[in-house]
Amino acid sequence: MLLRNSLRALAATGLVLGAFTVSAGSASAAGKDAWLTNGEFGLFCFQNQNESVFDLYSSDSNFIDDYFGGSKSCYNQITNDQTESYWNLDTYEWSVHTDWNGGGSDGYLAAGYKGNASFTFKNTISSAYYVN
């Protein structure tokens, strides 16, 4: 994890200039700041990557204490079990899980993948992990 974060810190300095921002916040590949930037994995409260975003820079085993950011209708709502779409702007594959701590059903999203959650994952995602 330390090596991964060190490499990401180096990469982030070059990626911030080309960052895609979704909503208000600070443009940095830091995660959980309501900006989806290169090097992050974003979960959205509505389909087609609409409304508020929850952006991850590193794995999160439990979304119960995480909230959607930005200024859209899902602002400040708990992320747990409220995700309808995602966008992987990371260079790593990510896995999403329907239970905390990587439990339940799991799905894998390749680097660059953007799409809506399937029936299995729509409004049931509770944790996510980067896969190296």
Side-chain angles (χ1 to χ4, degrees):
M1 178 80 166
L2 180 60
L3 176 61
R4 180 176 192 264
N5 285 338
S6 297
L7 292 173
R8 287 179 153 222
L10 284 172
T13 57
L15 295 174
V16 170
L17 292 176
F20 171 81
T21 58
V22 175
S23 55
S26 170
S28 65
K32 299 184 181 182
D33 62 0
W35 282 65
L36 180 58
T37 58
N38 287 322
E40 293 181 341
F41 176 68
L43 301 149
F44 295 83
C45 62
F46 286 114
Q47 292 186 1
N48 303 315
Q49 299 73 47
N50 282 315
E51 294 295 325
S52 300
V53 65
F54 173 60
D55 58 313
L56 291 167
Y57 179 72
S58 59
S59 299
D60 191 328
S61 64
N62 185 347
F63 292 168
I64 196 67
D65 59 350
D66 294 310
Y67 300 88
F68 286 107
S71 60
K72 304 288 183 164
S73 64
C74 299
Y75 169 74
N76 215 25
Q77 290 184 21
I78 293 175
T79 305
N80 189 62
D81 293 338
Q82 291 196 62
T83 297
E84 293 190 8
S85 63
Y86 18 70
W87 192 348
N88 185 358
L89 286 179
D90 201 344
T91 57
Y92 292 92
E93 179 179 50
W94 278 76
S95 64
V96 292
H97 305 268
T98 57
D99 288 334
W100 301 341
N101 299 317
S105 297
D106 58 352
Y108 293 83
L109 306 161
Y113 179 81
K114 176 181 178 180
N116 294 325
S118 68
F119 179 77
T120 301
F121 296 99
K122 185 176 179 180
N123 295 319
T124 62
I125 298 172
S126 296
S127 58
Y129 299 85
Y130 72 88
V131 181
N132 51 342

